[in-house]
Amino acid sequence: MVRLIQDSWAKAEPYLPEVTQFFYGMLFTLAPATRDFFPINMEVQRNRMVRALVHVVQMVDQPDDLVPFLRQLGRDHRKFGVIPKHYEAIGTALLAAMRSQLGLDWTPEVERAWAEAFTIIARQMQEAAASDTNPASWSAMVAEHRRLSWDLAMIRVEPDSDIPFRAGQYLSVEVPQRPRLWRYLSPANAPREDGSLEFHVRAVDGGWVSRAIVSHTQKGDVWRFGPPLGRLHIDRPSGRDVLMVAGGTGVAPLHAMLDDLAQWGENPKVHLFYGGRTREDLYALEGLRMIASCNPWLTVTPVIEGGPGLSGCEQGTLADVVTGHGAWPGRDVLVSGSPAMIRATVSRMLVAGTALDQIRYDPFTID
């Protein structure tokens, strides 16, 4: 089944714009209400949903990773008001879009493989959504917006009711400046008594949402959140030491876990490599060093690719520097950053001898 899916997608992928156009046209015909799930400007959405669907379908032979991810995704989609007939429409539209481009290559065997895979996906998502007793979404008011640099901002929000997240998880977020354009953000703090959450957001090229957050967010804005997602965490009871690798604002979920650990007297040893292209990218370094100064279990090593160095800094990419210290046997490895940084670091660590089951990261690439 997986081979048929992968082979047929390789033939259809060069025609992704046509597949996408057919998919949305069919979906909105079969289930007009789903149009409200997406932004008014569909150009911004482009191929995101089709790529995400295919990404998930191609993981159907990896149940240990796929099932927990799908169940999280099913709970997250409750915020849209998704019901079973919407899943049926999405599956029908996806298969029809693939058929429209593959022609004679869309054999009964290929269709059966795609249909079976999507059925597995839809069932897991629907079961998770049906069993979730939490609210479908939460609202929070912006209490503070502070520019840390021209392209970076810290935003603190106060939810109407506590969001039951765990340090290291991330949330889907909708901001009033970009309605229906949901994006994933990681709180940079552990759960607090007042329920507030702090986010670090960098404006990226072509980033409609990130640029709006950095440049236009104001105190009093109301943000909307989906349920907590992600499996990054530190297993304190295991006693295993931890290696953290963070690039840029990818340090946020790792900072949240360090914030959580700082509440305990004894912890496993944690070594954090925090990297960026230049010194200016390491915006959280001072705060991390402050945590380390009070907690002997934490070591922080800054890494920059170029430009003037700083005390205790190593030069190079995170992948080069981390693997230069060996394979890190026996450590739990947590990696967080851009998709490109995660791919490069994980690949180099595997080559260096780090076991795959040591490494954890979250799949932001589907956003």
Side-chain angles (χ1 to χ4, degrees):
M1 179 174 67
V2 175
R3 181 184 57 79
L4 288 170
I5 290 170
Q6 292 174 340
D7 289 350
S8 56
W9 175 245
K11 295 174 182 176
E13 190 170 20
Y15 308 99
L16 183 58
E18 291 83 359
V19 172
T20 300
Q21 184 175 3
F22 194 103
F23 168 81
Y24 284 117
M26 177 65 74
L27 176 61
F28 298 154
T29 299
L30 294 172
T34 60
R35 182 62 184 85
D36 291 337
F37 299 166
F38 302 97
I40 293 173
N41 183 358
M42 285 298 294
E43 181 61 25
V44 178
Q45 182 72 18
R46 294 196 299 272
N47 306 320
R48 184 175 289 115
M49 185 172 182
V50 173
R51 282 194 182 279
L53 284 168
V54 172
H55 170 79
V56 172
V57 169
Q58 289 178 322
M59 290 176 61
V60 76
D61 63 334
Q62 305 168 45
D64 290 344
D65 291 326
L66 180 60
V67 170
F69 175 68
L70 287 176
R71 295 189 69 81
Q72 288 189 124
L73 209 59
R75 291 191 291 271
D76 188 47
H77 277 59
R78 292 171 62 225
K79 69 193 179 206
F80 298 120
V82 175
I83 57 178
K85 70 177 183 180
H86 295 149
Y87 285 99
E88 296 173 14
I90 291 169
T92 300
L94 178 62
L95 268 62
M98 292 293 294
R99 184 189 307 115
S100 72
Q101 289 303 316
L102 288 178
L104 295 177
D105 288 322
W106 187 258
T107 64
E109 292 77 18
V110 170
E111 181 167 6
R112 189 177 307 114
W114 279 83
E116 290 178 2
F118 188 81
T119 298
I120 293 170
I121 291 165
R123 181 183 303 122
Q124 290 291 342
M125 292 179 67
Q126 290 180 73
E127 289 177 356
S131 64
D132 193 352
T133 58
N134 286 313
S137 64
W138 288 259
S139 293
M141 182 175 294
V142 173
E144 183 181 1
H145 176 272
R146 177 157 46 92
R147 297 286 282 266
L148 304 180
S149 68
W150 71 272
D151 66 344
L152 181 68
M154 185 285 293
I155 304 93
R156 183 172 59 85
V157 303
E158 298 176 346
D160 294 340
S161 58
D162 285 351
I163 302 176
F165 78 101
R166 183 185 66 239
Q169 289 189 301
Y170 59 96
L171 305 160
S172 56
V173 182
E174 181 190 43
V175 301
Q177 291 83 5
R178 296 289 185 264
R180 304 181 194 171
L181 279 177
W182 292 81
R183 291 295 181 270
Y184 292 130
L185 297 178
S186 297
N189 62 281
R192 296 169 173 166
E193 287 188 10
D194 65 0
S196 65
L197 301 97
E198 181 178 310
F199 298 95
H200 304 161
V201 181
R202 189 180 298 279
V204 298
D205 290 340
W208 282 51
V209 176
S210 64
R211 288 189 176 277
I213 289 174
V214 171
S215 301
H216 304 297
T217 293
Q218 298 181 17
K219 185 177 180 179
D221 283 353
V222 176
W223 287 14
R224 188 176 167 215
F225 292 92
L229 306 169
R231 293 186 290 164
L232 284 182
H233 71 284
I234 293 176
D235 187 359
R236 281 190 71 254
S238 75
R240 288 190 299 271
D241 292 339
V242 179
L243 169 65
M244 293 181 168
V245 187
T249 53
V251 76
L254 307 186
H255 190 286
M257 286 184 276
L258 296 176
D259 186 29
D260 183 59
L261 288 179
Q263 303 174 37
W264 301 87
E266 294 184 8
N267 286 306
K269 292 181 180 179
V270 179
H271 194 145
L272 167 63
F273 287 87
Y274 176 35
R277 290 187 175 88
T278 66
R279 168 66 182 88
E280 288 68 32
D281 291 330
L282 306 187
Y283 69 93
L285 182 58
E286 184 178 347
L288 291 167
R289 282 178 162 172
M290 190 174 298
I291 296 174
S293 69
C294 303
N295 296 280
W297 46 266
L298 175 61
T299 300
V300 178
T301 301
V303 179
I304 59 173
E305 296 182 23
L310 65 156
S311 174
C313 173
E314 296 198 26
Q315 294 271 349
T317 66
L318 280 165
D320 289 337
V321 171
V322 170
T323 55
H325 286 263
W328 301 91
R331 293 243 185 176
D332 287 341
V333 181
L334 308 179
V335 186
S336 180
S338 69
M341 171 266 173
I342 292 174
R343 284 193 297 269
T345 302
V346 171
S347 296
R348 287 290 299 278
M349 293 195 74
L350 293 175
V351 171
T354 308
L356 181 60
D357 61 5
Q358 288 178 244
I359 305 172
R360 288 197 294 274
Y361 57 91
D362 279 321
F364 287 103
T365 51
I366 66 148
D367 180 25

